Amino acid sequence: TSRTLSSIDLTACPLIGAQFCQAIGENFSSSVDNGIGGCLLELSLQNVPLTKEALLTLGASSDALQNLKSLKLKEIESVDDEVVSIILNSVNGGSLEGIDLSDNPQLTDEVLSSIRQCNTNGSLRALQLSGLKNLTAIGLEAFFTPIDDLPSPPMLRKLDLSQCSYDEVDDAVVSLAAKAASFKRSSTYAASEDNPNPEHLVSEVSSAKKGLVHVNIIGSSVSDKAMETLAATCSSSLEELDISFCTNVSDKGLGYLVSKVGCQFAKIHVWGLAQITEEFLDGHDRVEEGGLEIVGVWMKKSGGRSIR
């Protein structure tokens, strides 16, 4: 293996097996080359036939993953809570900035605890948990809530909770995630979780260029209340939102969101939202100025310039 190799990305490679994991441990360990070792920064594995034993070896055999900044383990049948815990524990000092564990059906709320505990430096900015049907609202709320003796909730810029269980990704989960991404850490962080005043929240965070940038909550039970919270906490950061098949969001909620966020907000995905009408599509605040692309409107009587 090249000593300068810093990124490994393998998708749908049927011949990858235990020897691959052993090779990573051997070639990127700090024991190689008089303690210098390799510097693996990105590891992306998708739809590969690795066994649980091989993956455990990857995380436990050496310190090869200690400098990792981006980890993707997607569509791997053997990935479970134990595998993720072992691998995350092998990353030094919470250096991970991006984690993608999408479409691994064995993962449960326990994986949220592992992610939270590994984020000791608060570096995590992108979290993708698409298709994890075993995640619960209670687990997700705890993940984004300040808890004594745990690292602070992650200040994410990208959040993907699409295609999880419909009832589990709700307004409360999105609210906590958005606030964790937007607010400075303080003893009052958890205050006013219920029925926040959107206008008050906007004024509180408007001066700080923090907040969620890309949000994907396809197929969730969020409603207009989540749109208000996003408008309040991400007004200067939100660029793209996917609320396809979120049947509780209305013209009013989307209209409020568009009226409050800045011009950096460039794209909304609304596939499957039959309840969205011309009231929003032709009447939102960005119709005349343009710059907002609405993706997923396949039929309407009168077209606006932002429709695709």
Side-chain angles (χ1 to χ4, degrees), residues 81-82 84-85 107-115 117 135:
D81 296 327
E82 182 184 6
V84 175
S85 177
L107 295 180
T108 70
D109 285 344
E110 290 187 24
V111 78
L112 299 174
S113 177
S114 297
I115 295 171
Q117 292 183 52
L135 298 184

Side-chain angles (χ1 to χ4, degrees), residues 150-199:
L150 281 180
S152 297
M155 299 180 67
L156 299 175
R157 297 297 171 262
K158 180 176 184 177
L159 175 62
D160 185 351
L161 293 175
S162 62
Q163 305 293 351
C164 295
S165 292
Y166 175 81
D167 291 326
E168 306 306 325
V169 180
D170 56 17
D171 291 332
V173 169
V174 173
S175 176
L176 288 168
K179 292 174 184 178
S182 302
F183 292 147
K184 294 181 179 179
R185 304 305 183 203
S186 70
S187 59
T188 61
Y189 168 76
S192 301
E193 293 293 347
D194 296 326
N195 299 318
N197 183 324
E199 296 293 346

Side-chain angles (χ1 to χ4, degrees), residues 75-91:
E75 295 181 81
I76 303 176
E77 185 176 350
S78 57
V79 168
D80 61 11
D81 296 327
E82 182 184 6
V83 167
V84 175
S85 177
I86 294 296
I87 290 179
L88 291 181
N89 285 336
S90 69
V91 180

Side-chain angles (χ1 to χ4, degrees), residues 22-299:
Q22 293 171 3
I24 290 181
E26 293 170 359
N27 286 277
F28 291 97
S29 171
S30 61
S31 63
V32 178
D33 291 345
N34 298 319
I36 298 176
C39 188
L40 185 62
L41 302 179
E42 298 179 351
L43 178 61
S44 175
L45 303 176
Q46 179 175 349
N47 190 20
V48 293
L50 292 173
T51 65
K52 179 175 179 177
E53 290 71 24
L55 289 167
L56 290 174
T57 300
L58 180 63
S61 63
S62 73
D63 56 2
L65 306 182
Q66 63 176 333
N67 297 310
L68 210 62
K69 293 188 177 299
S70 177
L71 173 66
K72 179 178 180 180
L73 299 174
K74 184 175 181 180
E75 295 181 81
I76 303 176
E77 185 176 350
S78 57
V79 168
D80 61 11
D81 296 327
E82 182 184 6
V83 167
V84 175
S85 177
I86 294 296
I87 290 179
L88 291 181
N89 285 336
S90 69
V91 180
N92 183 34
S95 61
L96 277 171
E97 298 174 3
I99 297 175
D100 185 352
L101 300 173
S102 299
D103 300 321
N104 294 310
Q106 294 193 65
L107 295 180
T108 70
D109 285 344
E110 290 187 24
V111 78
L112 299 174
S113 177
S114 297
I115 295 171
R116 178 79 173 265
Q117 292 183 52
C118 89
N119 190 36
T120 53
N121 292 343
S123 302
L124 189 62
R125 292 293 178 267
L127 181 61
Q128 296 169 263
L129 303 175
S130 177
L132 303 191
K133 301 292 186 181
N134 293 323
L135 298 184
T136 68
I138 293 175
L140 288 166
E141 288 177 24
F143 179 72
F144 290 112
T145 299
I147 298 174
D148 292 341
D149 300 324
L150 281 180
S152 297
M155 299 180 67
L156 299 175
R157 297 297 171 262
K158 180 176 184 177
L159 175 62
D160 185 351
L161 293 175
S162 62
Q163 305 293 351
C164 295
S165 292
Y166 175 81
D167 291 326
E168 306 306 325
V169 180
D170 56 17
D171 291 332
V173 169
V174 173
S175 176
L176 288 168
K179 292 174 184 178
S182 302
F183 292 147
K184 294 181 179 179
R185 304 305 183 203
S186 70
S187 59
T188 61
Y189 168 76
S192 301
E193 293 293 347
D194 296 326
N195 299 318
N197 183 324
E199 296 293 346
H200 174 70
L201 290 175
V202 168
S203 63
E204 187 171 350
V205 301
S206 60
S207 61
K209 300 297 183 181
K210 298 179 180 180
L212 292 167
V213 177
H214 300 277
V215 179
N216 188 340
I217 44 179
I218 290 176
S220 67
S221 60
V222 300
S223 69
D224 289 349
K225 184 176 180 181
M227 301 302 101
E228 292 178 354
T229 303
L230 289 175
T233 57
C234 313
S235 61
S236 62
S237 63
L238 188 63
E239 295 180 7
E240 184 172 1
L241 173 66
D242 196 334
I243 52 169
S244 300
F245 304 100
C246 295
T247 55
N248 295 326
V249 177
S250 71
D251 288 329
K252 182 179 179 181
L254 276 181
Y256 181 84
L257 175 67
V258 172
S259 71
K260 295 300 180 181
V261 296
C263 292
Q264 84 285 339
F265 189 33
K267 185 179 292 187
I268 311 176
H269 301 259
V270 295
W271 292 104
L273 300 191
Q275 72 274 20
I276 301 302
T277 71
E278 283 78 5
E279 179 182 346
F280 168 73
L281 298 174
D282 288 335
H284 64 78
D285 285 9
R286 298 273 296 278
V287 168
E288 293 301 324
E289 67 180 78
L292 177 63
E293 183 180 5
I294 303 175
V295 181
V297 181
W298 63 275
M299 180 187 300

